[in-house]
Amino acid sequence: ISLKKVHAKLNQFYKKDNFIKILPINSLLSTNDVINTNYCYISVCKSKYKNRIIILSAIDNLIKGGAGQAVQNLNYYFGYNEKKGFV
C-alpha cells in the first residue's frame, strides 16, 4: 500500500473527529505541538527502508489522558458538544 493511500484512509476515518488531526505527509511532530490541548496529531512518513511506512502520533498525556477523557466522556453522557469545557 502506498504512503498516499494510508494518509487518505486516515483522513477519511478521522474526518469527523474533532480532536484528531492528520498532518501532511512526512510532517515531523512532537509533544510540543500538542501541549495543553486535547488533540492527537498523527503523521504518516516514508521510511528509508522499502515497503515500510512510519506512523507518528503525539498527545499531551495530562490533557488528552485522564483529565481530557473525563471531560469528553461527561460531554457525551449529557449530550453536550464534544468541545465543551476545552479552550
Side-chain angles (χ1 to χ4, degrees):
I1 189 164
S2 73
L3 189 71
K4 288 182 181 180
K5 283 185 182 180
V6 170
H7 188 260
K9 286 291 183 186
L10 286 170
N11 270 319
Q12 180 185 7
F13 188 81
Y14 289 114
K15 69 182 171 188
K16 293 184 181 180
D17 286 322
N18 291 314
F19 295 112
I20 298 178
K21 302 292 181 197
I22 309 301
L23 301 178
I25 292 174
N26 292 320
S27 295
L28 297 179
L29 53 89
S30 76
T31 53
N32 287 333
D33 298 323
V34 293
I35 197 161
N36 293 323
T37 72
N38 192 48
Y39 287 100
C40 173
Y41 282 8
I42 299 174
S43 177
V44 181
C45 302
K46 72 177 188 175
S47 172
K48 66 180 181 178
Y49 302 105
K50 279 189 172 182
N51 300 321
R52 293 194 185 176
I53 295 173
I54 299 170
I55 299 177
L56 305 170
S57 67
I59 64 168
D60 180 334
N61 196 31
L62 295 176
I63 305 297
K64 186 64 180 171
Q69 188 64 42
V71 172
Q72 216 170 334
N73 286 337
L74 179 91
N75 290 339
Y76 282 132
Y77 184 79
F78 288 107
Y80 299 140
N81 182 318
E82 182 181 14
K83 293 182 176 182
K84 189 174 183 109
F86 294 103
V87 178

